Amino acid sequence: MMPSHYVFPGIGQHSKDLIVKKVAEYYGIKTVDLYRKTREREFVEPRQLATSIMKYACGMTHEDLSFEFRQSNGTIWHAKNTVINLYSSNSEYRNRVNEIMEILFPFAEERESILAKMLDPDSDKLKLREGRKVLPQRVRDVSLKTELCNY
């Protein structure tokens, strides 16, 4: 079990600022460069990784990340899928991600948990299914008829 940051003062709670700072330092770019609206590979790859880590370490939604990085919601989804694809197909990228995760999360249990969530392609789909309120068929038919009658 991981110790809490409340119990041990030296252990900090992960914040989006810390994640952005460490990812930028690892890639040798300025923190501000991650927020730039550019498609240059040297900035896109760290930004995609930072958004994926922030989503699962800080519990941010796609909308929060879109607002934070001034990107569209589709761009955030694309970033998540790109991280999954590159991690599974490119060993150099996998090593970089693992090194950054070791810097950010010193405890193996926490690191593995976040990485597993990050690399699960169905993790967001399950949340959408669980969060959706499904009405019974009879109620759906009545509401449809009501909407049609209102025109």
Side-chain angles (χ1 to χ4, degrees):
M1 181 165 167
M2 294 174 296
S4 169
H5 63 281
Y6 296 113
V7 177
F8 295 108
I11 298 173
Q13 186 176 14
H14 298 290
S15 69
K16 59 184 181 181
D17 298 328
L18 176 69
I19 292 170
V20 168
K21 178 183 172 193
K22 293 296 183 182
V23 170
E25 282 177 4
Y26 182 84
Y27 279 94
I29 59 176
K30 296 177 185 173
T31 307
V32 178
D33 291 336
L34 288 179
Y35 293 98
R36 285 180 40 198
K37 287 188 83 88
T38 180
R39 293 183 180 180
E40 295 177 31
R41 181 110 177 134
E42 65 178 309
F43 303 124
V44 171
E45 186 177 306
R47 185 187 315 127
Q48 289 175 338
L49 182 57
T51 57
S52 292
I53 294 172
M54 288 166 64
K55 175 163 178 53
Y56 297 104
C58 302
M60 296 178 76
T61 64
H62 284 269
E63 289 76 21
D64 297 336
L65 292 167
S66 297
F67 182 76
E68 177 76 21
F69 287 95
R70 295 178 297 140
Q71 302 286 331
S72 71
N73 200 5
T75 304
I76 302 300
W77 279 98
H78 176 72
K80 178 189 183 308
N81 292 331
T82 301
V83 168
I84 292 170
N85 293 337
L86 284 174
Y87 190 88
S88 62
S89 64
N90 188 336
S91 61
E92 291 176 14
Y93 184 79
R94 186 179 317 116
N95 291 336
R96 284 194 299 266
V97 171
N98 289 335
E99 288 174 11
I100 291 170
M101 293 297 283
E102 285 177 13
I103 293 168
L104 286 170
F105 310 105
F107 297 103
E109 181 181 322
E110 181 183 22
R111 181 173 56 244
E112 291 168 6
S113 169
I114 292 171
L115 198 56
K117 289 179 201 171
M118 221 170 83
L119 299 174
D120 182 15
D122 296 329
S123 62
D124 294 324
K125 292 177 187 172
L126 293 175
K127 285 184 182 177
L128 289 175
R129 264 190 249 130
E130 291 170 2
R132 188 179 309 141
K133 185 176 182 180
V134 179
L135 297 172
Q137 182 66 37
R138 183 176 49 80
V139 176
R140 281 184 278 176
D141 291 343
V142 170
S143 64
L144 181 62
K145 288 177 187 174
T146 308
E147 288 176 16
L148 292 175
C149 292
N150 289 336
Y151 285 108

